[in-house]
Structures are given as structure tokens and as C-alpha cells.
Amino acid sequence: MIAAILRAQWLSMRLGPRRGSFFSLATGLIWYGFWCSVSYSVYALALGSPAAELRFAAPTGLLLVCLYWQVVPVISASLGSALDMRKLLVYPAPHGKLFLVEVLLRFTNGAEMVLVLTGGLIGLLRNSAAGGWRAGPRILAPLLIYILFNLLLASGLRSLLERLLSYRRVRELLVFLMLLAVTVPRLVLLSSPGKKSLAGFGWIVQASALPWTAAGRAVLGESEWMSLLIIVCWTLAAGWFGRMQFERNLRYDAMAAQATPLRGGPARPASWSERFYRLPSLLFRDPLAILVEKELRSLARTPRFRMVFVMGFSFGLMVWLPFMLGSQADRHGAFAQNFLIVVCVYALTLLGQVTYWNSFGFDRSAVQIYFAAPQPISLTLLGKNIASMVFVYLEVLILTGLTLALRVDVGPAKVFETLLVVGICSLYMLALGNISSVQYPRALKPERVSQGGASSRFQALVFILYPLALLPVFLAYLARYAFASQTIFVIILAFAAVLGAVLYWIAMESAVTTVAKHRERMLAELSQGDGPIASN
């Protein structure tokens, strides 16, 4: 049965487009090449550390492995691949085997950690202080059990989060709370009282009852049988938790949870949101006005978009704020002076995965209406770009208010500069996005809050082109720093704006030409469904 599921997934992938494999391969080599270097560093650390250092390093390293395996998929808003139950429940497949496939898919979130653990394993086998090669079974067994523990725990957490994130008005609050849980400890540690109290958290890697400590002690041969018993108990608990959450997901209807309830009774006056949606009709003429309004309404009602929008002004601020709480020199450095610009450009980048990188993703097969309607496709792309910019500047407005509330030194001149810089950066991002939307379209399910926006092929391409896209704006700041001249900064920034406008116009023409030549391929890709394994 497992082989049949994997074969069906493989056939669905073979039927899909094969373009862009070079960029995906190049990005994969860079990414896993980096983790291979991290694995080698862990190998060197495990090889050269004496027994006293290993007693602390082993539990600490296993704790970091667990945190990466469980937390990184959450903060990256991508929970990895999973079984699409609505396509499998019609078959008489045993739930136990489906759960086994689901657990095996958790390797997609922790393949990097398997590399790291492999490096540590080889280093310990060559370190006489850890027992050497003769202790191979003793070292290998706890690590395999610990990997199984992380797989089962990740499966349960994914099922739980996927169900919670499908509730209306809950997913945004949940994401915000998860981000607080991830970033607040970092803010505390950067403060002076937090640094003094750091020693109080040593029990996290010293308590024998915790899974990473038990696994670390079993690897080093300390209280071996008791440590093995503890890690086995944790693994059984994780297995029970994962299976229970998996069974609950089998009986859960995500579409019903995300449905908007009907409202009866007499008509009420237009709300502030309704007036917001009608703003395009005051600024543009139809059909552009209605295209922008449609995009604003559809994005605001999309669970995936709302989650990323909340992450833009919450997670982005929490990621960069600790740099403002460092030393006195950091607080008055170049980064601190451009803090608002950095977090706003970060939010612009984050919103791209559900807007301009893949403009037609949420339309899916309904994209054919744009080809049947009388307006040109360039007008459709322009309307989608304008709607994206409305949400981008909403992010800027929220981030500006939060920055002022946190008493970060941001004056009116810096706010105006941020508005200009975000607009100029957006020209380059939208230009690339228009090309990607027609060259590498990907159908998205609005209800899947953990699904990425752009296709993996174009994400690989963005990995290469993104630094080049922001290079003109970066050169303007570099010139201001080098020459200490605001005039040079304004001149180079103006040149970057003109260059961005030209690039946007060329990209729009290229996108229109591509649609005219490859309309059928674009419709086929946006109408294509996933296999039995949904990739997020």
C-alpha cells in the first residue's frame, strides 16, 4: 500500500512540468552543501572534545536538533509534505499504514538534522573518550530512537497545528503566540537581567528526565539502561500523541471550519472593511478598479494570506528587534538608523510568496476568465500588482506604528524615506513577480495555511536573483555611507527608481508575450491537482 501511494505521487510529479530543474538542483546543492559543512563542524567537535565537555555538548546539541525539527517548520510557515486525506479516505487503506507514511514524511522537515546527527555519530565513533568503534551499538541505538521520537512528535504537532490553523479568527492569534514563544526568549537573553539569569536555565540540558538529556547520557554510556528507558518512554508518548492527532485529523473537516457563516437579518451600514474594498473605485476606472477590488477581497478572505500578513509585521519585527537591543554601538550603528526600512523590506519579501511571486495561484483554473474577458492580461497583472502594493503599504503603516510604540528613534524624514525605498524595491520585485506568475505558475489551495506561494522552481531562481534585484537600492545606501552625502544618495536612489520603472515595463511586456504563446500550458499548470501527498 505504501508503495502504491509513492508510485501515484511519482506519476503525478512526472505528469507535471519539468522546466526549471537546473535551478532547483543548484539551490538544493547550495542548501545541503551548507548543512554538510555544519555536519563536518559537529564531527570535528565530537572528535576533539574530552569526556567532560561531551557531557554538556551532547544534550545541548540534541536539544538544538529537536528545536530545529519541531520549530523551524512553524516559523517558516511551511509544515512540509503530508498526506491529502480527502484523496485517500475513499480507499480501504488501514489507518496504521497511512500514519506510517505520514511519519516517514516528517523526514522532509528534518533531513538537515539527520546530516548533523550523522556527523556527530562519526565523530563519537572516532573519539576514544566516547568509547570508540567498540561502542558503536551503544551510540547508534539512542540516536535512532531519538530520531524516531522527533518524527513522531513532529507528526503530532503538524496534525494539531494544521487543525488549529484552520479555525477562523484563531490562526492569526495562534501564529502570533507561536512567534512570541520563539522570539521573546531571545529578547530576554539580550537584556542585562536576561544574561545574568541565563545560568538558571541549565536544568534544561541537565535534567535526566528530559528526552535530549537522556539520549545524550545513553550515547555516552552514563546510566545507560535508565537513560534508554527514559527515551523509549518519551518515544512511546510521542507515538501516542502523533497517532491520536492523526486520527482526529481523519475525522476533521477543514473546509467546514473555514466556512464563513451566513448572516441574516436586515442590511447593515457598510463597515470600514467594505469602504476599504471600495477605495479602488474612487481612484481608478473600470475594469481596473473592479480588478483591484476583487483582488483585495479575495486575498483578505484567504487563510494563507492572512497568516503571512500577520507574520509580516509580527515575526519580521521580532527577528530584527534584538539587533537593536545589543551593545551601545549597535544601537547607534547603520542598522539602527535604518531599522524601519529593513523590517519593511523584509515584510515586502514575505508577502511575495502569496501575492506577486505567484499572482494567479489562488485563482487556479478560474484564471481562464481573464482570457475570456475583454480586458488585456496586462491590465489584470496591473490590478494584481496594485492590490499587492496596498497590502505592502498596510504592512509599512503597521510596522511604523509598532516601531514608534517601541520608542525606536524614527523621525518623519525616515518614515518618508521608508515609503520611497519600499516603493522602489517593489518595482523590482513586481517585475520579477510578473514573469514568475506566467512562467512558473502554481495552483494554491486557499484553505491550506501551510502551503508556500511560489513554486519550488522559481523559489530556486529567486534565491539567485533576489540580491541582484535589491542591488541598486543597496548601492544608494553604500554611496551615502562612503561619501557622507545625502545628495548622492538621492541621485542614486532616483536612478534606481527610473531603472526599476523601465525593468517593470519590460517585464510586463515579457509576461504578456509569454501568456500569448503559452496560454494553454499556463491553464494546465494552474488546473493541475496534487498527488496523494500534498507538498507545502
Side-chain angles (χ1 to χ4, degrees):
M1 194 274 298
I2 297 177
I5 293 176
L6 296 178
R7 176 174 171 78
Q9 180 70 13
W10 170 250
L11 290 175
S12 68
M13 293 171 62
R14 286 183 61 189
L15 293 174
R18 302 179 184 179
R19 301 177 302 111
S21 58
F22 171 77
F23 295 106
S24 299
L25 178 62
T27 307
L29 290 175
I30 294 174
W31 175 252
Y32 286 104
F34 166 76
W35 282 107
C36 284
S37 65
V38 174
S39 178
Y40 180 79
S41 300
V42 173
Y43 158 77
L45 178 64
L47 176 62
S49 299
E53 293 183 5
L54 288 176
R55 291 189 186 96
F56 177 79
T60 303
L62 293 175
L63 170 61
L64 295 177
V65 166
C66 183
L67 290 176
Y68 182 94
W69 214 318
Q70 312 302 328
V71 175
V72 167
V74 176
I75 64 177
S76 64
S78 178
L79 301 182
S81 300
L83 291 175
D84 193 340
M85 294 305 169
R86 283 185 290 178
K87 294 182 179 180
L88 293 174
L89 287 180
V90 296
Y91 302 102
H95 291 185
K97 290 188 177 181
L98 291 178
F99 177 65
L100 176 59
V101 177
E102 180 72 19
V103 171
L104 292 176
L105 288 173
R106 294 309 99 223
F107 270 110
T108 62
N109 295 89
E112 302 88 351
M113 294 300 98
V114 175
L115 286 175
V116 172
L117 289 175
T118 301
L121 171 64
I122 298 174
L124 290 175
L125 291 176
R126 297 192 61 188
N127 190 343
S128 58
W133 292 98
R134 294 182 179 179
R138 187 203 71 204
I139 297 174
L140 181 61
L143 290 181
L144 291 178
I145 298 175
Y146 190 70
I147 290 176
L148 180 60
F149 161 76
N150 279 280
L151 290 174
L152 294 170
L153 181 60
S155 176
L157 287 177
R158 188 198 187 285
S159 299
L160 177 62
L161 288 175
E162 189 176 45
R163 194 168 62 252
L164 291 177
L165 289 172
S166 64
Y167 286 104
R168 298 180 66 250
R169 304 184 184 279
V170 175
R171 65 181 68 89
E172 292 84 0
L173 177 61
L174 181 62
V175 169
F176 185 71
L177 292 177
M178 288 189 296
L179 295 175
L180 282 177
V182 172
T183 54
V184 166
R186 186 182 177 191
L187 295 176
V188 172
L189 292 178
L190 286 173
S191 62
S192 297
K195 293 177 181 178
K196 295 178 181 179
S197 61
L198 181 60
F201 292 93
W203 62 270
I204 296 179
V205 294
Q206 294 174 357
S208 302
L210 295 178
W212 41 84
T213 306
R217 291 187 174 183
V219 164
L220 299 177
E222 299 179 1
S223 304
E224 182 177 353
W225 293 108
M226 179 59 67
S227 298
L228 275 177
L229 178 61
I230 292 174
I231 188 59
V232 167
C233 290
W234 275 104
T235 304
L236 292 175
W240 171 82
F241 172 71
R243 182 62 185 270
M244 179 186 66
Q245 297 302 327
F246 180 79
E247 292 291 338
R248 294 189 65 179
N249 269 20
L250 289 177
R251 302 186 297 268
Y252 181 70
D253 189 351
M255 297 295 292
Q258 295 178 4
T260 303
L262 295 176
R263 296 178 180 177
R268 293 179 295 177
S271 62
W272 65 268
S273 59
E274 189 66 25
R275 290 192 291 268
F276 168 74
Y277 296 140
R278 296 297 298 169
L279 278 178
S281 61
L282 302 177
L283 303 175
F284 308 105
R285 298 175 58 184
D286 286 335
L288 180 59
I290 196 64
L291 286 171
V292 177
E293 181 179 341
K294 173 263 174 191
E295 199 68 15
L296 293 177
R297 290 180 181 272
S298 62
L299 287 177
R301 295 169 180 172
T302 301
R304 171 64 184 172
F305 173 81
R306 292 205 298 265
M307 189 185 76
V308 175
F309 184 82
V310 172
M311 290 181 67
F313 64 80
S314 57
F315 183 57
L317 191 65
M318 294 176 186
V319 165
W320 299 107
L321 187 60
F323 292 98
M324 296 287 293
L325 302 178
S327 63
Q328 194 70 18
D330 293 336
R331 298 181 185 182
H332 296 86
F335 177 84
Q337 296 175 3
N338 300 288
F339 174 76
L340 180 60
I341 296 173
V342 172
V343 295
C344 288
V345 172
Y346 178 85
L348 166 67
T349 305
L350 202 62
L351 278 179
Q353 62 175 305
V354 288
T355 53
Y356 52 84
W357 287 138
N358 191 20
S359 298
F360 300 102
F362 291 125
D363 294 321
R364 294 183 289 181
S365 59
V367 73
Q368 57 190 312
I369 188 62
Y370 298 128
F371 303 121
Q375 82 274 356
I377 194 66
S378 59
L379 201 64
T380 300
L381 281 171
L382 180 60
K384 289 179 174 292
N385 291 164
I386 293 174
S388 299
M389 290 307 303
V390 170
F391 286 112
V392 166
Y393 275 107
L394 275 178
E395 291 269 24
V396 174
L397 180 63
I398 295 173
L399 283 168
T400 302
L402 292 175
T403 303
L404 293 174
L406 293 172
R407 300 181 180 273
V408 178
D409 187 15
V410 177
K414 186 59 64 175
V415 173
F416 181 72
E417 180 182 323
T418 301
L419 296 175
L420 287 179
V421 169
V422 169
I424 296 172
C425 291
S426 299
L427 288 174
Y428 294 90
M429 296 295 102
L430 293 176
L432 291 175
N434 287 338
I435 295 176
S436 74
S437 297
V438 299
Q439 288 281 3
Y440 305 100
R442 180 192 181 192
L444 300 176
K445 295 181 180 180
E447 71 274 8
R448 295 194 68 89
V449 295
S450 60
Q451 186 179 28
S455 68
S456 59
R457 292 163 294 160
F458 192 75
Q459 286 176 351
L461 186 60
V462 169
F463 183 81
I464 299 173
L465 295 181
Y466 186 75
L468 297 178
L470 298 181
L471 182 60
V473 176
F474 175 75
L475 290 177
Y477 281 96
L478 186 62
R480 182 169 69 176
Y481 174 78
F483 298 99
S485 173
Q486 186 71 13
T487 303
I488 294 179
F489 171 74
V490 172
I491 293 175
I492 298 180
L493 201 62
F495 174 77
V498 174
L499 182 62
V502 173
L503 180 63
Y504 180 83
W505 178 77
I506 294 174
M508 179 68 77
E509 294 294 323
S510 175
V512 171
T513 303
T514 300
V515 170
K517 291 182 178 180
H518 305 289
R519 179 182 307 178
E520 291 76 14
R521 174 181 57 78
M522 182 177 173
L523 289 172
E525 293 185 12
L526 288 171
S527 303
Q528 182 181 356
D530 292 326
I533 299 176
S535 178
N536 293 332

